Amino acid sequence: MSRTPLISGNWKMHLNHLEAIQLCQKLSYELARHRYEQVEVSLHPPFVDLRSCQTVIDADRLEFKLGAQNCHDQNQGAFTGEVSAAMLAKLDVSYVIVGHSERRALFGETDEIVAAKAAAVAEADMTPIVCVGETLEEREAGRAAEVVSTQLRGSLAKLSRAQFETLVVAYEPVWAIGTGRNAEPRDAQEMCATARQVIDDIRRGVGSGVRIQYGGSVKPVNAQELLAQPDIDGALVGGASLDPVQFARIVQAALQACISIKAARQAKNQDRKNQDR
Ligand code: PEP
């Protein structure tokens, strides 16, 4: 099944709304030299920048999807300081990251909370990007697959079959986030394949359609090899997404990976045809 790669820039708590507008424009300038229709790009600024980014994307007809980094699971109410999925949808937000490891570790988000947020995002007709990933201790104890499986089962528990069909999952090993140490492409592939299998166990038949991103120190230098893996359908990028040149090169790498995957598939089909003759 063909899955359009999704490259998402998680700006975290960086850039005020003026700087955010500049980054959208600079990124658009960097990407204007390339054709990247085969790749989807989402930008996830802080909440206070969303309206400005929405306006510039709209006015300049930029080819970016708008994303958010978090939301509350309730539509409205006495939740001081929170932002609902419905409010984000009104700003033309398409993707909302939920369960990022920083939110799990620093703000106590459990799988149950993540599940409620993912459902709220999907109910508001946006796509949740549900993050999962093991810590270094868990990996060293040989528990990476078990941890990710438990997180997926808990975090996806409230989604309907139809909502699974548009779901995005980000496999982000915690030890690779912001450390400059990315997972080896082969290990990342293995974990994304495991995640796909778990998703298919949860809802039979949907696994092959769900996009699974890899996240954790993705840079131009490692992007192409990571993105060429058959079960990696894009990247969730933190640090490098704040630099328009680097982020544009990651999008380019995704494009190159698409081209090489397509060429490999064609060669395989040709081989099969030759054997059948
Ligand atoms: C992230 O924030 O999800 C992330 C992967 O960050 P970085 O690319 O900086 O490791």
Side-chain angles (χ1 to χ4, degrees):
M1 173 168 297
S2 96
R3 299 177 294 262
T4 303
L6 173 64
I7 307 296
S8 304
N10 175 14
W11 297 358
K12 310 197 187 193
M13 198 173 72
H14 294 288
L15 309 183
N16 63 39
H17 75 285
L18 298 173
E19 293 164 333
I21 290 171
Q22 276 189 356
L23 183 51
C24 289
Q25 288 172 329
K26 282 183 185 166
L27 186 58
S28 155
Y29 173 80
E30 288 301 326
L31 285 170
R33 290 179 240 150
H34 312 289
R35 297 176 67 81
Y36 65 100
E37 297 92 349
Q38 293 170 66
V39 177
E40 221 183 328
V41 176
S42 67
L43 304 180
H44 300 249
F47 287 138
V48 292
D49 300 349
L50 282 171
R51 177 67 175 147
S52 304
C53 291
Q54 179 207 18
T55 306
V56 73
I57 287 172
D58 207 30
D60 296 355
R61 294 175 202 273
L62 308 183
E63 296 288 321
F64 308 134
K65 297 278 168 56
L66 194 54
Q69 301 173 19
N70 180 35
C71 69
H72 196 270
D73 64 11
Q74 299 294 306
N75 248 351
Q76 58 180 23
F79 301 105
T80 302
E82 292 292 323
V83 170
S84 75
M87 292 169 182
L88 297 175
K90 271 278 177 220
L91 285 165
D92 294 340
V93 166
S94 303
Y95 292 99
V96 184
I97 298 170
V98 293
H100 190 279
S101 68
E102 286 153 16
R103 296 215 57 89
R104 289 176 185 265
L106 303 173
F107 301 96
E109 289 194 4
T110 60
D111 288 335
E112 206 180 354
I113 294 173
V114 177
K117 291 186 176 196
V121 170
E123 286 301 316
D125 290 330
M126 299 177 293
T127 299
I129 299 179
V130 178
C131 301
V132 293
E134 79 285 358
T135 63
L136 188 57
E137 275 162 24
E138 290 162 342
R139 170 153 286 263
E140 285 174 350
R143 297 185 48 233
E146 171 207 327
V147 167
V148 165
S149 168
T150 304
Q151 287 177 332
L152 284 170
R153 288 175 195 282
S155 305
L156 305 179
K158 294 195 161 109
L159 297 180
S160 67
R161 171 171 280 274
Q163 289 166 342
F164 265 84
E165 281 165 11
T166 52
L167 173 70
V168 178
V169 164
Y171 165 62
E172 298 207 297
V174 178
W175 47 271
I177 298 178
T179 58
R181 179 186 164 196
N182 62 285
E184 286 301 319
R186 205 178 337 145
D187 293 340
Q189 158 59 26
E190 194 181 310
M191 288 301 295
C192 290
T194 301
R196 193 176 304 290
Q197 187 58 56
V198 172
I199 293 165
D200 211 62
D201 281 351
I202 303 170
R203 288 259 188 244
R204 195 66 63 204
V206 301
S208 62
V210 170
R211 285 183 290 176
I212 304 183
Q213 298 175 307
Y214 165 78
S217 297
V218 175
K219 308 277 179 229
V221 55
N222 57 28
Q224 196 172 332
E225 203 183 342
L226 283 161
L227 294 167
Q229 304 299 318
D231 283 291
I232 300 182
D233 310 314
L236 181 50
V237 184
S241 71
L242 295 170
D243 178 329
V245 176
Q246 282 201 39
F247 192 65
R249 284 175 60 199
I250 292 170
V251 174
Q252 272 301 104
L255 207 52
Q256 286 306 319
C258 275
I259 293 165
S260 50
I261 289 170
K262 211 183 250 171
R265 209 175 288 141
Q266 275 166 355
K268 210 171 176 185
N269 287 344
Q270 192 57 48
D271 271 359
R272 217 174 282 144
K273 273 188 203 152
N274 292 344
Q275 277 166 11
D276 289 349
R277 269 190 202 138

